[in-house]
């Protein structure tokens, strides 16, 4: 193997105690992707020969996510010996024994580093012919990080953990980002020499740096220019901070690509979302998952879209949609709840206080007000009156409602599925449609109205209603007398 070979080790075995969570730390998401997923996405761009992820805590849960989303990563199990040093030992042991290139160590909880920064780090390491190169950063508040201790000549001497630092060392503001490049041969040799004599009783990877220096090998540190990118997530405060930094980056990316973001501070866009030029996002909008929004669409305010496709020029206001397809020029909301499996055709409408699920609504068709449409197939240019309800569930199974083209239904209809309404048919107000309606028919299911004259005055004497009725009766009589 050539000296230019690169292996990447991603550390993801730690407990993440400070998260105080049942979910392993590296699986906590920002921008719709677990922390370790961001690290692996970046790692996969570096053209490495090997990518390994070290796991232990909640191993099966972490592996389940990794094997689905990052199948190219090789899983390495850490044993019961704790510490980043141990994690790298087992990962190095899992590399081919003749691997003679460089090893890039990344932390599963340092999610914001970009591929450019890392390839520059590897390049600097190689051109300096260093045995190890640490990515460091200068922070106003270095609390919690390992400190990079330099000797009088300014060369990196060692790294000391916060918990092991003297007051002088703790005052150093250059921190270890937890990202390093090592020459494989040097790493192998010195990893065998670290011990657990420290405040945390762990094998520290950071101790390898001091050992290399003692052995007169070249150790370098590259100070990151973008300090935010070296940000490590240990607790939920840092999780939110990292999420904010990443979101700012994503929002700016789409703004530069031609998207109008009215209020970047309240607009959240996941990493996998795609937005066309001339999309407009109003405040409090969350574009989540693999949502794709075509040009000219207007989303928000107060809207969440998860894994949706939104066509050109569609308008979605104050609504929540998941796994839905909204056609070009369609309008949604305000206050629509669009559940998985909804497709709305071009120019269609899902209006105010409407819930839909697993339903196909054809081109130009409208469900404008106060409706529940579940398990329905609706043709083109249909108008459902206010208060349309598909009764899709008989307590045992779900049934479909099928509505043809050009159907107009009266207000407050119930469609008791399974039921079909033929093309061009109409229904009366208040109809409970239990039987199929043939094409072109008018379906009425409400009994003729019967008025019982004088009922209120007789049965509710002395009430305001009876008095009003009596006044109305007198007025009608005197009009008749004139
Ligand atoms: C580590 C560094 C510290 C650095 C900081 C940067 C050490 C000893 N310290 O501290 O110098 O400033 O990262 O963010 O390396 N992990 C394992 N196996 C373990 C323990 C941890 O794989 O036995 C993984 C964790 O899942 C995590 C990463 O290693 O992804 C770092 O572990 P963590 O415990 O967060 O180390 P820090 O205290 O942050
Ligand atoms: Ca950490």
């Amino acid at each position: 193997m050539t000296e230019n070979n690169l292996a990447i080790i991603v550390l993801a075995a730690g407990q993440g105690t400070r998260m105080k969570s049942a979910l392993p730390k590296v699986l906590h998401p920002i921008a719709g992707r677990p922390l370790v997923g961001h690290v692996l996405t970046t790692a996969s761009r570096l053209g490495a020969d090997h990518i390994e992820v070290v796991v232990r805590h909640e191993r099966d849960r972490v592996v389940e996510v990794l094997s689905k989303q990052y199948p190219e990563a090789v899983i390495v199990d850490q044993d019961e010996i704790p510490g980043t040093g141990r994690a790298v030992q087992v990962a190095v042991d899992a590399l081919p024994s003749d691997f003679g290139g460089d090893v890039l160590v990344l932390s599963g909880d340092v999610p914001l580093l970009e591929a450019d920064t890392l390839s520059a780090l590897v390049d600097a390491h190689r051109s300096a012919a260093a045995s190890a190169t640490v990515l460091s950063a200068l922070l106003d508040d270095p609390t919690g990080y390992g400190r990079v201790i330099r000797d009088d000549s300014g060369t990196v001497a060692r790294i000391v953990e916060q918990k092991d630092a003297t007051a002088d060392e703790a005052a150093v503001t250059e921190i270890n980002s937890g990202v390093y490049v090592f020459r494989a041969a040097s790493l192998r040799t010195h990893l065998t020499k670290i011990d657990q004599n420290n405040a945390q009783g762990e094998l520290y990877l950071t101790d390898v740096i001091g050992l290399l220096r003692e052995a007169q090998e070249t150790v370098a540190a590259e100070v990151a220019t973008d300090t935010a990118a070296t940000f490590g997530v240990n607790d939920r405060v840092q999780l939110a901070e990292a999420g904010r930094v990443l979101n700012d980056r994503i929002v700016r990316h789409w703004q530069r690509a031609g998207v109008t973001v009215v209020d970047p501070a309240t607009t959240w866009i996941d990493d996998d979302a795609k937005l066309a030029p001339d999309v407009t996002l109003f405040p409090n909008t969350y574009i989540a998952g693999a949502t794709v929004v075509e040009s000219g669409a207007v989303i928000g305010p107060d809207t969440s879209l998860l894994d949706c496709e939104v066509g050109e020029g569609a308008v979605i206001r104050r609504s929540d949609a998941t796994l839905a397809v909204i056609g070009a020029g369609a309008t949604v909301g305000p206050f629509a709840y669009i559940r998985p499996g909804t497709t709305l055709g071009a120019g269609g409408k899902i209006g105010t206080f409407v819930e839909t699920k697993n339903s196909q609504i054809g081109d130009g068709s409208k469900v404008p007000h106060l409706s529940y449409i579940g398990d329905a197939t609706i043709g083109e240019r249909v108008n459902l009156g206010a208060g349309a309800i598909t009764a899709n569930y008989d307590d045992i199974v779900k049934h479909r409602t099928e509505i043809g083209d050009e159907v107009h239904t009266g207000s407050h209809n119930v469609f008791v599925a399974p039921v079909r309404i033929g093309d061009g048919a109409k229904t009366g107000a208040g109809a409970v449609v239990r039987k199929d309606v043939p094409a072109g028919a008018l379906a009425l299911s409400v009994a003729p109205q019967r008025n019982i004259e004088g009922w209120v005055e007789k049965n509710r004497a002395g009430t305001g209603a009876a008095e009003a009725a009596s006044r109305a009766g007198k007025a009608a009589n005197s009009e008749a007398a004139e």
Side-chain angles (χ1 to χ4, degrees):
M1 294 209 177
T2 70
E3 287 294 304
N4 275 338
N5 285 349
L6 184 68
I8 299 179
I9 298 173
V10 177
L11 306 185
Q15 276 217 352
T17 328
R18 289 163 278 183
M19 294 297 282
K20 302 203 166 74
S21 177
L23 185 70
K25 173 168 74 175
V26 293
L27 294 188
H28 277 261
I30 54 174
R33 190 178 283 169
L35 295 176
V36 68
H38 289 283
V39 178
L40 280 165
T41 302
T42 306
S44 67
R45 296 187 176 134
L46 296 172
D49 307 280
H50 308 276
I51 298 181
E52 296 180 338
V53 187
V54 186
V55 297
R56 177 172 165 82
H57 178 69
E58 292 279 354
R59 183 237 182 243
D60 292 346
R61 280 176 88 178
V62 178
V63 169
E64 195 192 330
V65 171
L66 293 177
S67 54
K68 257 189 232 140
Q69 295 174 29
Y70 305 92
E72 72 282 8
V74 173
I75 305 296
V76 178
D77 284 289
Q78 186 174 345
D79 56 16
E80 67 290 343
I81 302 172
T84 49
R86 184 59 182 170
V88 174
Q89 282 175 352
V90 295
V92 167
D93 286 348
L95 288 173
S97 57
D98 63 345
F99 179 80
D102 293 303
V103 178
L104 171 64
V105 177
L106 303 175
S107 268
D109 65 350
V110 179
L112 302 178
L113 284 168
E114 288 178 290
D116 290 353
T117 309
L118 297 177
S119 41
L121 183 72
V122 174
D123 289 348
H125 169 81
R126 285 176 176 165
S127 47
S131 293
T133 304
V134 182
L135 182 67
S136 71
L138 295 166
L139 300 188
D140 295 337
D141 178 11
T143 309
Y145 291 93
R147 310 295 204 280
V148 175
I149 309 300
R150 293 174 182 263
D151 62 20
D152 293 341
S153 69
T155 314
V156 178
R158 58 203 168 82
I159 294 172
V160 60
E161 290 307 291
Q162 162 105 24
K163 287 184 178 146
D164 300 291
T166 63
D168 280 354
E169 288 167 339
V172 170
T173 56
E174 184 176 7
I175 60 98
N176 165 29
S177 70
V179 168
Y180 330 69
V181 196
F182 293 96
R183 191 156 46 187
S186 304
L187 182 61
R188 277 201 184 92
T189 307
H190 290 89
L191 267 177
T192 59
K193 301 176 187 164
I194 57 177
D195 61 39
Q196 290 169 257
N197 296 330
N198 52 55
Q200 299 181 83
E202 295 182 355
L203 288 176
Y204 288 168
L205 175 61
T206 43
D207 284 351
V208 170
I209 300 297
L211 289 166
L212 285 169
R213 267 308 298 280
E214 283 168 26
Q216 319 292 327
E217 296 201 30
T218 306
V219 176
E222 284 285 301
V223 184
T225 44
D226 178 7
T227 47
T230 62
F231 198 81
V233 174
N234 293 318
D235 61 25
R236 310 245 188 174
V237 174
Q238 292 168 327
L239 182 72
E241 282 172 23
R244 163 62 65 197
V245 170
L246 182 55
N247 192 61
D248 288 348
R249 200 191 270 174
I250 295 170
V251 166
R252 275 198 297 273
H253 164 82
W254 290 116
Q255 288 175 308
R256 294 200 173 105
V259 172
T260 294
V261 179
V262 174
D263 183 15
T266 63
T267 302
W268 292 81
I269 305 173
D270 278 355
D271 229 8
D272 286 336
K274 293 201 168 50
L275 306 171
D278 286 324
V279 163
T280 298
L281 304 180
F282 279 106
N284 277 320
T285 287
Y286 184 15
I287 309 293
T291 294
V292 177
V293 184
E294 299 297 345
S295 87
V298 177
I299 315 292
D302 305 327
T303 294
S304 301
L305 305 178
L306 171 61
D307 294 328
C308 290
E309 286 173 39
V310 179
E312 247 179 74
V315 176
I316 305 181
R317 288 185 295 148
R318 295 187 206 279
S319 291
D320 184 302
T322 299
L323 279 165
V325 178
I326 307 301
T331 62
V332 172
F335 310 111
Y337 179 34
I338 300 192
R339 294 166 51 202
T342 300
T343 62
L344 176 62
K349 175 172 185 153
I350 293 175
T352 312
F353 302 118
V354 174
E355 175 178 344
T356 64
K357 183 215 76 170
N358 191 25
S359 292
Q360 292 75 53
I361 301 169
D363 290 354
S365 288
K366 298 185 169 145
V367 190
H369 330 274
L370 298 160
S371 293
Y372 170 64
I373 304 300
D375 302 301
T377 306
I378 297 173
E380 298 182 358
R381 297 173 305 284
V382 169
N383 190 86
L384 298 189
I389 304 290
T390 54
N392 55 332
Y393 188 42
D394 62 9
D395 254 6
I396 303 163
V397 280
K398 304 276 168 71
H399 297 283
R400 290 198 74 82
T401 299
E402 289 175 45
I403 297 178
D405 293 337
E406 304 272 4
V407 170
H408 285 206
T409 65
S411 296
H412 202 244
N413 280 187
V414 180
F415 305 102
V416 183
V419 73
R420 304 165 84 115
I421 299 174
D423 291 344
K426 299 196 187 297
T427 62
V432 177
V433 182
R434 297 175 187 278
K435 293 191 299 189
D436 290 358
V437 180
L442 169 65
L444 303 172
S445 76
V446 178
Q449 179 173 330
R450 194 158 65 99
N451 294 337
I452 303 172
E453 297 279 349
W455 189 93
V456 172
E457 280 174 275
K458 191 168 159 211
N459 293 286
R460 295 288 182 272
T463 65
E467 282 162 24
S470 143
R471 279 195 301 275
K474 280 177 194 146
N477 284 342
S478 66
E479 248 173 59
E482 274 167 20

